[in-house]
Amino acid sequence: MAVETMLSCHSCDTCLGGRYHLCADRQIYSYIPLTNQPGLWGAYAQYMYLAPNTIVHRMDKSLPAELAVMFNPLGAGFRWAVEIPQTQVGDTVVILGPGQRGLASVIAARQAGAGKIIVTGMAADARKLDLARTFGAHHTIDVQNENAIERIKELTGGRGADVVVEVTSYATDPVREALSYVRAGGTIVLAGVKGFKPIPDFVSDLIVFKEITIKGAIGVTSSGYRKAIDLIEARSLPLELMHTHDFALEDAELAIRTLARQVDGDESIHSCLIPPI
Protein backbone atom coordinates (compact mmCIF):
# COMPACT_ATOMS: atom_id res chain seq x y z
CA MET A 1 0.00 0.00 0.00
CA ALA A 2 1.33 3.43 -0.99
CA VAL A 3 0.45 6.35 1.29
CA GLU A 4 0.16 9.86 -0.13
CA THR A 5 2.19 12.31 1.95
CA MET A 6 -0.38 15.11 2.13
CA LEU A 7 -3.40 15.17 4.43
CA SER A 8 -6.11 17.53 3.18
CA CYS A 9 -9.65 18.22 4.37
CA HIS A 10 -11.24 17.08 1.05
CA SER A 11 -14.26 19.29 1.74
CA CYS A 12 -13.17 22.90 1.02
CA ASP A 13 -13.57 24.62 -2.36
CA THR A 14 -9.90 24.03 -3.19
CA CYS A 15 -10.11 20.30 -2.49
CA LEU A 16 -13.45 19.87 -4.25
CA GLY A 17 -11.98 21.71 -7.22
CA GLY A 18 -9.38 18.96 -7.59
CA ARG A 19 -6.42 20.82 -6.07
CA TYR A 20 -6.38 19.09 -2.70
CA HIS A 21 -2.61 19.43 -2.46
CA LEU A 22 -3.15 23.20 -2.01
CA CYS A 23 -5.72 22.87 0.77
CA ALA A 24 -5.31 25.64 3.34
CA ASP A 25 -5.55 23.05 6.13
CA ARG A 26 -3.22 20.49 4.57
CA GLN A 27 -0.59 18.71 6.61
CA ILE A 28 2.35 16.60 5.51
CA TYR A 29 2.96 13.35 7.34
CA SER A 30 6.66 13.90 7.87
CA TYR A 31 6.06 17.36 9.38
CA ILE A 32 3.33 16.54 11.88
CA PRO A 33 4.72 16.89 15.43
CA LEU A 34 4.95 13.72 17.49
CA THR A 35 3.06 15.59 20.21
CA ASN A 36 -0.05 15.32 18.01
CA GLN A 37 -1.90 12.20 19.06
CA PRO A 38 -1.43 9.34 18.52
CA GLY A 39 2.18 10.32 17.71
CA LEU A 40 2.91 7.64 15.09
CA TRP A 41 3.28 10.13 12.23
CA GLY A 42 5.75 9.73 9.40
CA ALA A 43 7.49 6.52 8.45
CA TYR A 44 10.67 6.41 10.53
CA ALA A 45 9.10 3.71 12.67
CA GLN A 46 7.86 0.14 12.60
CA TYR A 47 4.25 1.33 12.63
CA MET A 48 2.50 4.32 11.12
CA TYR A 49 -0.85 5.88 11.98
CA LEU A 50 -3.07 6.65 8.98
CA ALA A 51 -5.58 9.44 9.49
CA PRO A 52 -9.13 8.86 8.16
CA ASN A 53 -8.59 11.42 5.35
CA THR A 54 -5.46 9.69 4.05
CA ILE A 55 -5.30 8.76 0.36
CA VAL A 56 -3.78 5.32 -0.25
CA HIS A 57 -3.05 3.29 -3.38
CA ARG A 58 -2.83 -0.45 -3.83
CA MET A 59 0.56 -1.86 -4.80
CA ASP A 60 1.81 -5.30 -5.75
CA LYS A 61 2.81 -6.97 -2.47
CA SER A 62 5.60 -8.89 -4.20
CA LEU A 63 7.57 -5.72 -4.95
CA PRO A 64 10.77 -5.26 -2.93
CA ALA A 65 10.37 -2.43 -0.43
CA GLU A 66 13.23 -0.42 -1.93
CA LEU A 67 11.42 -0.34 -5.30
CA ALA A 68 7.90 0.13 -3.95
CA VAL A 69 8.84 3.30 -2.05
CA MET A 70 9.98 4.93 -5.29
CA PHE A 71 6.32 5.73 -5.98
CA ASN A 72 6.93 9.10 -4.33
CA PRO A 73 9.91 10.47 -6.32
CA LEU A 74 8.60 8.87 -9.51
CA GLY A 75 5.20 10.44 -8.87
CA ALA A 76 6.95 13.81 -8.60
CA GLY A 77 8.65 13.17 -11.93
CA PHE A 78 5.35 12.53 -13.67
CA ARG A 79 3.64 15.54 -12.12
CA TRP A 80 6.50 18.04 -12.38
CA ALA A 81 8.00 17.07 -15.75
CA VAL A 82 4.87 16.01 -17.61
CA GLU A 83 1.53 17.00 -16.05
CA ILE A 84 2.28 20.57 -14.96
CA PRO A 85 4.13 21.69 -18.14
CA GLN A 86 1.88 19.54 -20.35
CA THR A 87 4.87 17.96 -22.04
CA GLN A 88 4.03 16.72 -25.53
CA VAL A 89 5.48 14.02 -27.78
CA GLY A 90 8.65 15.34 -29.40
CA ASP A 91 9.25 18.15 -26.89
CA THR A 92 12.74 19.08 -25.74
CA VAL A 93 12.95 18.90 -21.95
CA VAL A 94 15.86 20.26 -19.88
CA ILE A 95 16.11 18.96 -16.32
CA LEU A 96 18.24 20.92 -13.88
CA GLY A 97 19.58 18.56 -11.21
CA PRO A 98 20.22 14.80 -11.43
CA GLY A 99 19.05 13.76 -7.96
CA GLN A 100 16.33 11.17 -7.47
CA ARG A 101 13.58 13.59 -8.56
CA GLY A 102 15.64 14.77 -11.50
CA LEU A 103 16.16 11.16 -12.56
CA ALA A 104 12.44 10.53 -12.02
CA SER A 105 11.75 13.49 -14.30
CA VAL A 106 13.95 11.91 -16.97
CA ILE A 107 11.96 8.68 -16.71
CA ALA A 108 8.62 10.48 -16.83
CA ALA A 109 9.60 12.70 -19.77
CA ARG A 110 10.79 9.66 -21.70
CA GLN A 111 7.53 7.85 -20.94
CA ALA A 112 5.66 10.90 -22.25
CA GLY A 113 7.53 10.73 -25.54
CA ALA A 114 9.87 13.71 -25.17
CA GLY A 115 12.04 13.98 -28.25
CA LYS A 116 15.15 15.27 -26.52
CA ILE A 117 16.01 15.17 -22.81
CA ILE A 118 18.97 17.15 -21.46
CA VAL A 119 20.12 16.93 -17.83
CA THR A 120 22.49 19.33 -16.08
CA GLY A 121 24.56 18.65 -12.98
CA MET A 122 27.85 19.32 -11.21
CA ALA A 123 31.17 17.56 -11.65
CA ALA A 124 30.43 15.59 -8.46
CA ASP A 125 27.25 14.30 -10.10
CA ALA A 126 29.07 12.18 -12.71
CA ARG A 127 27.51 8.94 -11.46
CA LYS A 128 24.03 10.46 -11.47
CA LEU A 129 24.50 11.91 -14.94
CA ASP A 130 25.54 8.47 -16.19
CA LEU A 131 22.37 7.07 -14.65
CA ALA A 132 20.32 9.81 -16.32
CA ARG A 133 21.59 8.57 -19.68
CA THR A 134 20.72 5.00 -18.70
CA PHE A 135 17.15 6.11 -17.97
CA GLY A 136 16.77 7.87 -21.31
CA ALA A 137 18.49 11.28 -21.24
CA HIS A 138 19.94 12.07 -24.65
CA HIS A 139 22.54 14.54 -23.37
CA THR A 140 24.07 15.54 -20.03
CA ILE A 141 25.94 18.72 -19.16
CA ASP A 142 28.51 19.29 -16.43
CA VAL A 143 27.81 22.96 -15.67
CA GLN A 144 31.18 23.38 -13.93
CA ASN A 145 33.16 22.39 -16.99
CA GLU A 146 30.80 23.31 -19.85
CA ASN A 147 28.91 26.44 -20.81
CA ALA A 148 25.38 25.18 -20.30
CA ILE A 149 23.70 28.09 -22.12
CA GLU A 150 25.82 27.60 -25.24
CA ARG A 151 25.54 23.83 -25.08
CA ILE A 152 21.74 23.90 -24.86
CA LYS A 153 21.61 26.37 -27.75
CA GLU A 154 23.79 23.99 -29.76
CA LEU A 155 21.68 20.94 -28.90
CA THR A 156 18.42 22.72 -29.77
CA GLY A 157 19.57 24.49 -32.91
CA GLY A 158 19.42 27.83 -31.10
CA ARG A 159 15.73 27.43 -30.29
CA GLY A 160 15.86 26.49 -26.60
CA ALA A 161 13.88 23.94 -24.64
CA ASP A 162 10.12 23.58 -24.70
CA VAL A 163 10.17 22.67 -21.00
CA VAL A 164 12.71 23.33 -18.24
CA VAL A 165 12.28 21.52 -14.92
CA GLU A 166 14.30 22.93 -12.01
CA VAL A 167 14.75 20.41 -9.19
CA THR A 168 18.02 21.46 -7.56
CA SER A 169 18.14 21.99 -3.80
CA TYR A 170 19.02 25.42 -2.41
CA ALA A 171 21.06 26.52 -5.46
CA THR A 172 19.63 29.75 -6.89
CA ASP A 173 21.71 30.07 -10.08
CA PRO A 174 19.69 27.43 -11.99
CA VAL A 175 16.50 29.47 -11.55
CA ARG A 176 18.08 32.50 -13.20
CA GLU A 177 19.74 30.41 -15.90
CA ALA A 178 16.50 28.61 -16.76
CA LEU A 179 15.32 31.84 -18.42
CA SER A 180 18.12 31.42 -20.96
CA TYR A 181 17.54 27.70 -21.48
CA VAL A 182 13.84 27.88 -22.38
CA ARG A 183 12.51 28.81 -25.82
CA ALA A 184 10.20 31.73 -26.51
CA GLY A 185 6.75 30.65 -25.37
CA GLY A 186 8.18 27.76 -23.35
CA THR A 187 7.47 26.65 -19.79
CA ILE A 188 9.65 26.55 -16.68
CA VAL A 189 8.61 24.42 -13.71
CA LEU A 190 10.21 25.38 -10.38
CA ALA A 191 10.18 22.51 -7.89
CA GLY A 192 13.51 22.78 -6.07
CA VAL A 193 13.19 24.71 -2.80
CA LYS A 194 15.77 27.40 -1.99
CA GLY A 195 15.20 28.09 1.69
CA PHE A 196 13.38 31.33 0.77
CA LYS A 197 16.58 32.87 -0.59
CA PRO A 198 16.20 35.58 -3.25
CA ILE A 199 17.40 34.90 -6.80
CA PRO A 200 20.31 37.25 -7.62
CA ASP A 201 20.35 38.86 -11.09
CA PHE A 202 16.93 37.48 -12.02
CA VAL A 203 15.98 39.40 -15.18
CA SER A 204 12.20 39.53 -15.40
CA ASP A 205 12.29 41.21 -18.82
CA LEU A 206 13.28 37.84 -20.29
CA ILE A 207 9.94 36.48 -19.09
CA VAL A 208 8.12 39.37 -20.77
CA PHE A 209 9.90 39.38 -24.12
CA LYS A 210 9.98 35.58 -24.45
CA GLU A 211 6.46 35.14 -23.00
CA ILE A 212 7.76 32.43 -20.69
CA THR A 213 5.30 30.56 -18.47
CA ILE A 214 6.69 29.85 -14.98
CA LYS A 215 4.85 27.39 -12.76
CA GLY A 216 5.55 26.28 -9.22
CA ALA A 217 5.27 22.65 -8.18
CA ILE A 218 4.58 21.43 -4.66
CA GLY A 219 4.04 17.78 -3.93
CA VAL A 220 2.39 15.03 -5.92
CA THR A 221 -1.26 14.27 -6.60
CA SER A 222 -3.06 10.99 -7.24
CA SER A 223 -2.63 10.99 -11.02
CA GLY A 224 1.14 11.23 -10.69
CA TYR A 225 1.20 8.51 -8.06
CA ARG A 226 -0.91 6.20 -10.23
CA LYS A 227 1.43 6.62 -13.20
CA ALA A 228 4.42 5.93 -10.95
CA ILE A 229 2.87 2.81 -9.44
CA ASP A 230 1.93 1.48 -12.87
CA LEU A 231 5.51 1.97 -14.03
CA ILE A 232 6.99 0.26 -10.97
CA GLU A 233 4.61 -2.67 -11.22
CA ALA A 234 5.37 -3.07 -14.94
CA ARG A 235 9.01 -3.81 -14.02
CA SER A 236 10.02 -2.47 -17.43
CA LEU A 237 12.90 -0.26 -16.27
CA PRO A 238 15.95 -1.07 -14.10
CA LEU A 239 14.76 1.24 -11.32
CA GLU A 240 16.91 -0.68 -8.85
CA LEU A 241 19.93 1.16 -10.32
CA MET A 242 18.68 4.33 -8.62
CA HIS A 243 18.61 2.64 -5.22
CA THR A 244 22.00 2.89 -3.51
CA HIS A 245 21.55 2.33 0.23
CA ASP A 246 19.59 0.36 2.80
CA PHE A 247 19.75 1.56 6.41
CA ALA A 248 18.49 0.05 9.64
CA LEU A 249 15.75 2.03 11.33
CA GLU A 250 18.07 3.16 14.11
CA ASP A 251 20.41 4.63 11.48
CA ALA A 252 17.85 7.12 10.15
CA GLU A 253 20.08 10.09 11.00
CA LEU A 254 22.99 8.54 9.10
CA ALA A 255 20.68 7.95 6.13
CA ILE A 256 19.70 11.61 6.05
CA ARG A 257 23.31 12.78 6.38
CA THR A 258 24.40 10.44 3.60
CA LEU A 259 21.67 11.72 1.30
CA ALA A 260 22.78 15.29 2.10
CA ARG A 261 26.41 14.48 1.15
CA GLN A 262 27.58 14.99 4.72
CA VAL A 263 29.36 11.63 4.96
CA ASP A 264 32.87 11.66 3.51
CA GLY A 265 33.41 9.10 0.79
CA ASP A 266 29.77 8.10 0.51
CA GLU A 267 26.86 9.39 -1.52
CA SER A 268 23.26 8.29 -1.81
CA ILE A 269 20.83 8.67 -4.69
CA HIS A 270 17.92 6.77 -3.17
CA SER A 271 17.94 5.23 0.31
CA CYS A 272 15.52 3.04 2.21
CA LEU A 273 15.01 2.54 5.94
CA ILE A 274 14.33 -1.12 6.68
CA PRO A 275 12.53 -1.65 10.04
CA PRO A 276 12.92 -4.95 11.84
CA ILE A 277 10.21 -7.48 11.04
Side-chain angles (χ1 to χ4, degrees):
M1 182 175 64
V3 181
E4 293 199 12
T5 61
M6 290 193 182
L7 288 172
S8 303
C9 74
H10 300 296
S11 59
C12 67
D13 289 345
T14 301
C15 287
L16 295 176
R19 298 167 67 83
Y20 67 90
H21 62 296
L22 297 179
C23 175
D25 294 323
R26 75 181 186 273
Q27 294 178 290
I28 301 175
Y29 265 109
S30 56
Y31 291 96
I32 300 175
L34 295 179
T35 52
N36 288 23
Q37 295 298 319
L40 297 174
W41 304 100
Y44 293 178
Q46 290 171 275
Y47 300 97
M48 178 177 176
Y49 171 73
L50 298 184
N53 52 331
T54 302
I55 298 177
V56 298
H57 300 267
R58 292 181 182 274
M59 289 194 77
D60 184 343
K61 293 181 180 180
S62 69
L63 286 167
E66 62 271 16
L67 292 184
V69 296
M70 288 186 186
F71 78 92
N72 187 275
L74 285 173
F78 278 105
R79 181 164 190 264
W80 301 351
V82 177
E83 293 183 357
I84 290 177
Q86 298 181 0
T87 298
Q88 302 296 309
V89 172
D91 278 354
T92 293
V93 179
V94 172
I95 297 163
L96 311 182
Q100 58 179 263
R101 280 163 178 74
L103 294 173
S105 294
V106 171
I107 292 169
R110 193 61 186 263
Q111 293 288 309
K116 187 175 293 181
I117 302 170
I118 304 166
V119 182
T120 69
M122 310 285 279
D125 294 322
R127 178 185 180 188
K128 296 176 182 177
L129 293 174
D130 285 342
L131 194 52
R133 290 190 289 271
T134 297
F135 285 138
H138 299 88
H139 305 279
T140 58
I141 300 172
D142 172 356
V143 298
Q144 291 178 299
N145 294 293
E146 300 177 77
N147 185 315
I149 294 176
E150 292 303 318
R151 183 69 174 133
I152 290 171
K153 284 182 179 179
E154 176 188 345
L155 293 171
T156 62
R159 181 172 180 267
D162 299 288
V163 174
V164 177
V165 185
E166 202 285 321
V167 289
T168 66
S169 296
Y170 297 105
T172 57
D173 286 350
V175 176
R176 180 188 70 247
E177 293 161 356
L179 300 178
S180 298
Y181 300 155
V182 72
R183 68 166 172 82
T187 299
I188 298 172
V189 176
L190 301 180
V193 295
K194 312 301 178 186
F196 290 92
K197 293 183 292 186
I199 309 299
D201 303 319
F202 187 85
V203 182
S204 62
D205 281 352
L206 288 174
I207 303 171
V208 175
F209 287 105
K210 293 174 72 174
E211 284 201 355
I212 298 168
T213 298
I214 299 179
K215 296 185 176 183
I218 178 69
V220 188
T221 53
S222 292
S223 57
Y225 283 128
R226 284 194 294 267
K227 292 183 180 73
I229 292 168
D230 287 345
L231 179 65
I232 295 169
E233 292 184 335
R235 295 173 168 86
S236 57
L237 288 176
L239 298 174
E240 65 276 1
L241 296 178
M242 197 189 309
H243 181 71
T244 55
H245 291 69
D246 285 328
F247 291 94
L249 189 58
E250 58 267 26
D251 292 328
E253 181 181 354
L254 176 61
I256 295 170
R257 291 177 53 237
T258 303
L259 190 62
R261 286 180 169 169
Q262 295 177 358
V263 177
D264 291 339
D266 200 3
E267 181 182 16
S268 169
I269 299 175
H270 180 273
S271 298
C272 191
L273 290 179
I274 307 295
I277 298 176

